[in-house]
Amino acid sequence: MSFSTKTFIVYLVSGFSVAVLSALYLTQNTNDHKNSSLSLQLHGSYGSITDKTWPELKPSWRLALASIIGFLGSAFGTVGGVGGGGIFVPMLTLIIGFDTKSAAALSKCMIMGASTSSVFYNLRVRHPTKDVPILDYDLALLFQPMLMLGITVGVALSVVFPYWLITVLIIILFIGTSSRSFFKGTEMWKEETLLKKEMAQAQTTFVNSRGELLIDTEYDPLVPREEKTPMQIFCSNLKWKRILVLMIVWVSFLLLQVIKNDVKVCSVWYWVLFSLQFPIALVVFWYEAMKLYKDYKKRMNTGNLECICEASIEWTVLHIVFCALCGILGGTVGGLLGSGGGFILGPLLIEIGVIPQVASATATFVMMFSSSLSVVEFYLLKRFPIPYGTFINS
């Protein structure tokens, strides 16, 4: 059974839609019967008026266990390019005792620190097969604007949604990611088992099951790779023009969030500032998407089958739109549930043909920008809090 990224996206959208619509239905019924004792109880449960839970952090076995889990979650999360939010949020809620909204905010802080250190390390690593940067800046420019656009929506929803709904959405997300990882691991295990059998039969035959000739010989590359110093590798991995564009997008979103939190919620200026995020993200995304699309068409017309970037997919309009939707959904899920968006971006890069080392480095690079924006937004929302239920009631 295959659990592709498209199936995973459909599962998330369907599950989240059912949960949100159920929350709206229950809240509406509670408001219609608020005079009864049952409705008062439901209003306390399904509404947004809930006290934050910040436990006192004293030396204990819970704190020690959480530190170990946080270390392992950060290590495996950065290696896989998923950020580790799927481990941080349950650890903060179930072991430490934070409420779900605070756990999501703290998870973004942890992801920001882990992704920043991982990016600094990756800048000193060579590309495993080519003489190009290990960070794919084309894919970073394609996904980062959409991811940050989704982040702003997700952070706003994290304030509006009640605690119990966020908990339900986290459960839906983790069921999907766990199932996807299980099926992917099973598929890889079958492929490796088949490969092992073919290697065992190589001693008696020179042709594998696919009809390919097996030649057991060692050879040296015709053109050996040039040896580079760590500083040369670091400089070659930096593309300052691309990084400048990413920084401009990040600063633009940051300034809009700071200005937006100084105006009245749901006022005309509030929605004007909120809407300005869309043209900023769409302009950068459209420029990079058109670049990939035109280069792909040009190479196909000339018979050049070399990939434009690290991804090996056909850059058609349908695939570009799908990447945009995945970026927005990944950012929304990351801002709402504190997962960082890597649960969608990391596997998506693998599925479109990016090799694991580059996929992990690129996803971590993008998450460094998105998670830092989320941390700033959560801080602003704490300092200039939006009344719970404002958007639903307006």
Side-chain angles (χ1 to χ4, degrees):
M1 179 178 180
S2 177
F3 200 173
S4 64
T5 299
K6 294 182 180 179
T7 306
F8 181 59
I9 296 298
V10 172
Y11 164 79
L12 285 184
V13 172
S14 303
F16 284 13
S17 300
V18 172
V20 173
L21 292 175
S22 300
L24 293 175
Y25 174 76
L26 292 172
T27 304
Q28 185 64 33
N29 284 351
T30 301
N31 293 333
D32 292 340
H33 303 87
K34 60 183 177 180
N35 293 327
S36 63
S37 59
L38 179 60
S39 66
L40 289 176
Q41 182 180 358
L42 287 175
H43 185 72
S45 301
Y46 298 114
S48 301
I49 304 174
T50 310
D51 295 333
K52 293 183 178 180
T53 304
W54 283 68
E56 187 176 355
L57 299 180
K58 294 182 178 180
S60 62
W61 68 269
R62 290 179 179 271
L63 191 60
L65 180 60
S67 300
I68 296 174
I69 294 176
F71 172 79
L72 296 176
S74 178
F76 291 113
T78 52
V79 169
V82 297
I87 299 177
F88 296 152
V89 175
M91 178 265 292
L92 292 171
T93 54
L94 300 178
I95 298 178
I96 301 297
F98 285 98
D99 61 88
T100 52
K101 294 185 179 181
S102 299
L106 292 173
S107 174
K108 301 298 291 185
C109 294
M110 299 169 71
I111 293 174
M112 180 185 68
S115 59
T116 302
S117 61
S118 179
V119 168
F120 180 75
Y121 172 80
N122 288 328
L123 288 175
R124 298 177 294 168
V125 177
R126 296 189 66 174
H127 193 286
T129 58
K130 305 176 183 177
D131 192 17
V132 296
I134 195 171
L135 301 175
D136 193 322
Y137 290 95
D138 287 324
L139 295 179
L141 285 171
L142 186 70
F143 285 104
Q144 189 237 24
M146 296 293 101
L147 200 68
M148 296 183 71
L149 184 61
I151 285 286
T152 59
V153 177
V155 172
L157 292 178
S158 70
V159 179
V160 176
F161 286 176
Y163 285 74
W164 72 268
L165 178 57
I166 294 180
T167 304
V168 172
L169 296 179
I170 290 176
I171 294 173
I172 294 174
L173 173 65
F174 291 160
I175 290 176
T177 54
S178 301
S179 302
R180 191 178 192 280
S181 300
F182 173 78
F183 289 122
K184 185 65 176 179
T186 304
E187 182 180 351
M188 293 179 65
W189 174 74
K190 291 181 179 179
E191 293 178 356
E192 292 175 358
T193 302
L194 180 60
L195 179 61
K196 185 177 180 180
K197 291 181 179 179
E198 291 181 351
M199 293 180 64
Q201 296 174 357
Q203 298 178 353
T204 57
T205 179
F206 293 97
V207 180
N208 62 13
S209 61
R210 293 185 295 271
E212 298 173 345
L213 181 63
L214 298 175
I215 301 177
D216 187 13
T217 182
E218 296 182 358
Y219 62 92
D220 296 326
L222 297 178
V223 181
R225 295 188 67 180
E226 179 185 358
E227 295 294 333
K228 293 184 178 181
T229 63
M231 182 55 65
Q232 289 176 330
I233 296 175
F234 183 84
C235 294
S236 64
N237 281 328
L238 293 175
K239 300 296 181 182
W240 292 109
K241 292 183 179 180
R242 302 296 183 92
I243 295 176
L244 180 61
V245 175
L246 294 171
M247 288 297 299
I248 290 175
V249 175
W250 185 86
V251 171
S252 301
F253 272 80
L254 180 64
L255 291 177
L256 286 176
Q257 301 307 314
V258 174
I259 299 173
K260 180 166 64 70
N261 279 279
D262 282 329
V263 300
K264 184 180 179 181
V265 178
C266 286
S267 62
V268 175
W269 280 109
Y270 181 90
W271 291 116
V272 169
L273 293 171
F274 184 84
S275 301
L276 286 177
Q277 300 172 123
F278 289 86
I280 295 175
L282 291 176
V283 165
V284 178
F285 174 82
W286 180 258
Y287 172 81
E288 186 62 30
M290 290 302 298
K291 176 178 175 294
L292 292 174
Y293 179 78
K294 290 180 179 179
D295 288 346
Y296 171 75
K297 288 295 184 182
K298 182 178 179 180
R299 296 194 180 197
M300 289 297 101
N301 293 333
T302 57
N304 186 358
L305 301 180
E306 184 182 357
C307 298
I308 303 171
C309 57
E310 292 292 335
S312 59
I313 64 170
E314 299 177 355
W315 288 107
T316 60
V317 176
L318 182 61
H319 285 159
I320 291 175
V321 172
F322 177 72
C323 290
L325 294 178
C326 289
I328 294 176
L329 180 61
T332 304
V333 172
L336 176 61
L337 307 180
S339 64
F343 277 109
I344 293 178
L345 181 59
L348 176 63
L349 292 178
I350 296 292
E351 189 162 319
I352 63 178
V354 182
I355 61 177
Q357 296 92 327
V358 178
S360 175
T362 304
T364 306
F365 181 63
V366 174
M367 281 193 297
M368 181 183 67
F369 288 98
S370 61
S371 59
S372 59
L373 179 66
S374 298
V375 171
V376 174
E377 289 193 48
F378 275 116
Y379 171 76
L380 293 173
L381 290 174
K382 181 180 178 182
R383 189 174 179 182
F384 308 102
I386 299 176
Y388 291 147
T390 298
F391 296 112
I392 296 178
N393 296 328
S394 60

